[in-house]
Amino acid sequence: MTGTQHAPAALLSVRDLRVRTGQGRILVSGTTFDLRAGEVLGIVGESGSGKTLTARAVVRALADGVVADGDVTFDGIPLLEAKERELRAHRGSRIAMVLQDPFTALNPLQSVREHLRESLRPEIRKNRAKARSEVARRLAEVGLGPEVADRYPFQLSGGMRQRVAIAAALARDPELLVADEPTTALDATTQAQVLELLRTLQRDRGMALILITHDLRVAFSVCDRIMVMYAGSVLEHAPTERMVQRPLHPYSLGLMLAEPSVTHFQKQLNSVPGNVPSADSVAHTCVFADRCQWRQEKCTSAAPPLVGVESSHGAAVHLSACIRVDDLRDEMRAALSSRAGLDDEPPRPELGTPLLKVTGVSKTFKTASLAGRRKENVALREVSFEIARGESLGLLGETGSGKTTTARCVLGLSTPTSGRIELDEFDISDYRRLSRDQRAQVRRRVQVVFQDPYASLNPSMTVGRALGEAIAAGCPVAAGASGSVAKLLDLVGLPQPYAARRPGALSGGERQRVAIARALAVHPKLLICDEPVAALDVSVQAQILELLRDVRERYGTSMLFITHDLSVVRQMTDRTVVLKDGVIVEAGTTADLLDSPQHPYTQSLVASVPGAGALRARTAPGELTA
């Protein structure tokens, strides 16, 4: 697929890989690629694009009722034709996989030592002394101390759990590692640490790595080559440097333009309109045609093949499945250049009097240890800030910094140990002291949008019923702009027929829109957004962020934006408060704080953002050969 005429043989060769359901419905259509030893391939695309299915098909880990055919060869071994007994000799030992959520991948009843010991080679595992020594060595390799061996998954942070999962996957020194969204749920600094760990281990071992992600910044910072998938098809495949400088498919360009900037405010966040169709429904046309701004009639007459559009030393190195690629090169390059040169001034809204005052709030949790002793965990220490009417305040920090505890105290889901919280004329430091009528008034003034909309919606309740209940709870305050289900759906950009659907029939972005609509039903003065786009694809992220901007502008809603994503902070907030270990270490206008961070912790957060800056710097103009 790529490289020079004398490139070494591929460790993994995939030809015309197709994945179907037992009923014949197409899920992945004709994927072809090679992966050499020591190489990192990034597979990117939105949810439903076929990334994970492709990887699972390669390692023969598909769910029951899903079948794959084609030619998948690993070091000369035909994997799809191999019997299960043959596969067991390669899974874990030569081919390993790291999943997105390490907590579900680890047994909560087993210690870290037991997890790693089970993953070791039999001759080491059976020798107690050797196994103990090897477990310590494997933990050290992923940056964990020997004391971690006797802990259980629930006693570890998300980043530590992911490191344990990586150590277990590498325990038999595989030649190929498949990492499926390994950093999606992690905060910025932990994400950077895990990515650097993966890259270092991969280089030191000469191991091949397939990294599946919807985050282009992650892919650009780690991968040698990028393969862009959409609706079960590969639309573009190129070395990372080429993809960064000039994507040659409209979908790849759309994903790059949809990434919110960390360094500059954007007046308009870009997104790819619409949703990913099923692979089966677009099998005989350009799969991206319905969402492409450059579509012509000829684009839908047949499925465009993935062909080489740029070469080096006589071999195709940049492939695209767009039949108009030659016509669109200049337009796509101009669009990317204009995005790279953006420098919009952030808005400076006229702010009213303080709506929320948090003064000297501390929170200590008391838990019982295994020995029966009471243990104190200080989650917040003397936290103070204000949010003015119409203002958006960012609450930034890593996992465990106290962001969500702060929000829970404001929402009355947790009571501060000390300090005072005021909302309008109400003292909400302890919701138990409020009368029933006062609590109802406070609930109408402050609402929340959580990270996982599916978990916050009743799966058995239709959208219309859920919104109807929220409207009824908010009357008469909700009367007016948010006075009906139809108006609420229109406010969040959903068609009225969606009122009859249940959460399971909606995409992630659609469910989040419903969650936002429900929160807005009572027309709150303060909307708390707790990582509202962390689990969404980049294009859907942009749509939801634009929706929240519109809500704020239309109704003057104040917002408390809790996130670990610096690009979200840049685009959505006026001021930002940085929390570390429950203490505010820095606060100021968002632009000043991100452009000139003063505290070492804030500086580390800014420095940890993955991106393509280093790639742009190392790739000299004119270096690429068309």
Side-chain angles (χ1 to χ4, degrees):
M1 292 286 294
T2 65
T4 68
Q5 293 173 322
H6 305 290
L11 174 67
L12 177 70
S13 178
V14 178
R15 293 289 179 272
D16 199 27
L17 174 65
R18 299 176 184 275
V19 182
R20 297 182 174 88
T21 64
Q23 293 74 38
R25 187 165 62 90
I26 298 172
L27 301 176
V28 173
S29 178
T31 300
T32 295
F33 65 89
D34 287 337
L35 182 64
R36 295 188 293 273
E39 191 175 28
V40 183
L41 172 67
I43 305 181
V44 303
E46 295 171 274
S47 298
S49 62
K51 308 185 300 293
T52 297
L53 277 174
T54 297
R56 286 186 172 273
V58 166
V59 300
R60 289 272 298 272
L62 291 170
D64 292 340
V66 180
V67 295
D69 59 65
D71 184 11
V72 178
T73 304
F74 174 74
D75 195 22
I77 303 163
L79 294 182
L80 297 187
E81 291 78 28
K83 294 182 179 180
E84 189 63 31
R85 180 179 296 178
E86 296 177 73
L87 283 175
R88 282 199 295 268
H90 302 291
R91 286 204 198 108
S93 58
R94 302 189 68 192
I95 303 173
M97 196 166 189
V98 176
L99 302 177
Q100 176 176 343
D101 185 354
F103 195 76
T104 58
L106 300 175
N107 187 334
L109 301 179
Q110 284 188 326
S111 68
V112 169
R113 185 185 307 283
E114 292 173 292
H115 277 104
L116 295 185
R117 190 179 64 81
E118 283 186 350
S119 302
L120 297 173
R121 297 185 184 278
E123 63 272 19
I124 299 176
R125 185 172 64 239
K126 293 175 182 178
N127 185 307
R128 184 179 295 271
K130 285 185 178 180
R132 178 174 289 272
S133 173
E134 188 66 8
V135 165
R137 188 175 77 84
R138 295 294 177 174
L139 286 175
E141 189 177 38
V142 296
L144 296 176
E147 71 281 358
V148 174
D150 295 317
R151 297 182 189 174
Y152 288 82
F154 71 90
Q155 296 175 307
L156 306 177
S157 67
M160 293 172 73
R161 286 196 292 264
Q162 193 61 285
R163 286 170 183 264
V164 170
I166 292 171
L170 299 181
R172 295 195 184 185
D173 302 311
E175 297 161 58
L176 170 63
L177 178 66
V178 178
D180 189 358
E181 300 276 11
T183 62
T184 295
L186 304 179
D187 53 62
T189 52
T190 307
Q191 179 188 69
Q193 292 166 6
V194 171
L195 289 175
E196 180 60 29
L197 170 66
L198 275 174
R199 190 58 160 147
T200 300
L201 292 172
Q202 178 270 326
R203 285 172 178 159
D204 291 347
R205 293 162 171 259
M207 179 178 64
L209 172 64
I210 295 177
L211 178 66
I212 299 169
T213 180
H214 66 256
D215 191 328
L216 286 175
R217 292 193 187 103
V218 167
F220 289 158
S221 66
V222 174
C223 302
D224 302 312
R225 289 187 291 121
I226 306 291
M227 189 168 80
V228 180
M229 293 195 70
Y230 180 85
S233 296
V234 178
L235 298 189
E236 188 168 2
H237 190 159
T240 303
E241 290 87 347
R242 290 176 178 268
M243 185 81 74
V244 168
Q245 288 196 344
R246 50 174 187 260
L248 293 179
H249 194 283
Y251 179 60
S252 306
L253 174 66
L255 291 179
M256 293 174 69
L257 295 179
E259 283 279 1
S261 174
V262 178
T263 58
H264 298 86
F265 176 80
Q266 297 169 252
K267 291 180 181 177
Q268 178 71 40
L269 295 174
N270 299 299
S271 65
V272 183
N275 298 302
V276 180
S278 67
D280 201 56
S281 67
V282 289
H284 305 293
T285 182
C286 170
V287 294
F288 187 60
D290 286 346
R291 300 172 73 186
C292 182
Q293 61 175 314
W294 290 301
R295 177 188 62 202
Q296 291 184 349
E297 186 175 344
K298 63 180 179 180
C299 299
T300 58
S301 60
L306 182 70
V307 297
V309 292
E310 289 186 353
S311 61
S312 177
H313 303 288
V317 293
H318 198 147
L319 298 91
S320 174
C322 176
I323 61 173
R324 298 199 61 212
V325 62
D326 290 330
D327 301 334
L328 299 176
R329 284 175 188 265
D330 291 342
E331 284 188 67
M332 288 195 287
R333 183 176 296 183
L336 192 62
S337 297
S338 63
R339 166 68 172 82
L342 58 85
D343 192 12
D344 294 335
E345 280 291 320
R348 302 188 183 279
E350 293 184 9
L351 303 177
T353 57
L355 172 67
L356 178 73
K357 293 182 180 180
V358 176
T359 308
V361 167
S362 297
K363 177 63 181 177
T364 300
F365 292 98
K366 296 182 179 180
T367 58
S369 67
L370 295 176
R373 298 171 183 168
R374 300 290 288 179
K375 183 180 179 182
E376 291 190 349
N377 175 31
V378 180
L380 296 175
R381 293 183 179 88
E382 295 290 326
V383 169
S384 300
F385 61 84
E386 293 184 355
I387 301 179
R389 298 173 195 276
E391 182 182 28
S392 179
L393 178 74
L395 205 53
L396 180 66
E398 297 173 285
T399 302
S401 62
K403 304 188 304 295
T404 297
T405 300
T406 302
R408 289 177 62 84
C409 289
V410 174
L411 291 165
L413 301 176
S414 187
T415 302
T417 306
S418 62
R420 183 180 178 89
I421 304 176
E422 298 169 85
L423 181 70
D424 265 352
E425 70 272 21
F426 297 99
D427 180 350
I428 60 171
S429 307
D430 189 342
Y431 275 59
R432 294 169 298 185
R433 297 176 181 172
L434 300 174
S435 67
R436 185 174 181 178
D437 179 63
Q438 287 175 327
R439 279 198 299 272
Q441 291 187 59
V442 170
R443 298 291 186 203
R444 286 194 291 266
R445 282 169 166 78
V446 58
Q447 287 289 303
V448 62
V449 178
F450 293 106
Q451 176 176 342
D452 185 354
Y454 192 77
S456 65
L457 297 173
N458 188 332
S460 65
M461 190 180 290
T462 65
V463 169
R465 185 180 169 191
L467 297 183
E469 282 192 355
I471 292 169
C475 287
V477 177
S482 301
S484 70
V485 169
K487 287 181 179 179
L488 276 176
L489 289 174
D490 182 63
L491 175 64
V492 297
L494 291 175
Q496 292 190 21
Y498 274 54
R501 297 190 182 185
R502 287 180 169 79
L506 306 178
S507 68
E510 289 168 344
R511 285 196 290 264
Q512 195 62 290
R513 287 174 184 267
V514 172
I516 293 171
R518 187 180 60 179
L520 296 177
V522 296
H523 209 173
K525 294 183 178 181
L526 174 64
L527 186 63
I528 297 178
C529 300
D530 190 355
E531 302 278 11
V533 296
L536 302 178
D537 295 319
V538 60
S539 181
V540 181
Q541 278 189 24
Q543 295 170 13
I544 297 300
L545 294 178
E546 274 296 314
L547 169 61
L548 289 170
R549 278 182 172 182
D550 180 62
V551 167
R552 182 187 171 197
E553 183 177 349
R554 191 181 302 192
Y555 300 115
T557 308
S558 299
M559 292 186 179
L560 177 60
F561 228 97
I562 299 170
T563 182
H564 63 255
D565 190 329
L566 273 68
S567 63
V568 171
V569 169
R570 171 76 75 172
Q571 304 305 327
M572 299 302 296
T573 65
D574 306 308
R575 292 187 302 116
T576 297
V577 170
V578 181
L579 275 174
K580 183 182 187 322
D581 299 328
V583 177
I584 294 178
V585 297
E586 190 166 355
T589 65
T590 298
D592 290 342
L593 189 141
L594 294 183
D595 292 339
S596 302
Q598 300 301 305
H599 193 276
Y601 176 66
T602 313
Q603 293 170 356
S604 72
L605 289 178
V606 173
S608 67
V609 177
L615 290 170
R616 291 192 180 96
R618 80 182 190 203
T619 307
E623 179 182 329
L624 304 182
T625 304

